[in-house]
Amino acid sequence: ISDMFKTDRWNAFTLFLEDGRVRLTNNATERALRGIALGRKSWLFAGSERGGDRAAFMYSLIVTARINDIDPQAWRADVRDKLPNTTASRVPDLLPWNWQTSQRQLAT
């Protein structure tokens, strides 16, 4: 079991060599989370637990857009316009990591 564990960890550790999308460090993620830590007391005033859950969900999408080099306001405005006419099976196309690709396809 220990050899299998070492192999699994080694494969996960060297994944960045095979896939250029995988980052060697998580520094970008930690920098993105710094804003959450600084605003921790403000999150107490989300109104309710459900409000806090929604705020956290939206904040994670906005940070994901930033990490993917997408303007969060442009992404949110576009998604807001497209969402009413989007089927449930097409919603993943509107997520930040897929949105940039779909915008390039529209431009061609």
Side-chain angles (χ1 to χ4, degrees):
I1 294 176
S2 63
D3 288 336
M4 185 174 131
F5 180 72
K6 289 178 185 176
T7 303
D8 289 342
R9 294 205 53 181
W10 182 255
N11 290 338
F13 177 70
T14 59
L15 181 62
F16 75 94
L17 296 171
E18 299 166 14
D19 188 348
R21 296 174 297 171
V22 176
R23 309 264 173 143
L24 179 59
T25 67
N26 68 344
N27 289 341
T29 303
E30 289 186 14
R31 277 193 306 274
L33 291 173
R34 187 175 300 136
I36 294 172
L38 293 175
R40 192 174 300 144
K41 288 186 179 179
S42 298
W43 299 115
L44 293 172
F45 302 102
S48 66
E49 184 175 347
R50 186 174 180 193
D53 288 342
R54 286 185 181 196
F57 178 76
M58 287 305 298
Y59 193 80
S60 67
L61 287 175
I62 289 168
V63 170
T64 300
R66 286 182 185 156
I67 289 173
N68 284 282
D69 295 324
I70 295 171
D71 176 21
Q73 289 181 323
W75 167 77
R76 198 180 66 122
D78 186 57
V79 169
R80 186 187 61 229
D81 294 342
K82 289 180 180 177
L83 198 56
N85 299 321
T86 303
T87 62
S89 64
R90 302 299 297 179
V91 168
D93 294 340
L94 300 176
L95 293 172
W97 51 88
N98 293 330
W99 183 78
Q100 189 173 23
T101 304
S102 67
Q103 294 307 306
R104 286 183 188 161
Q105 289 172 351
L106 290 175
T108 58

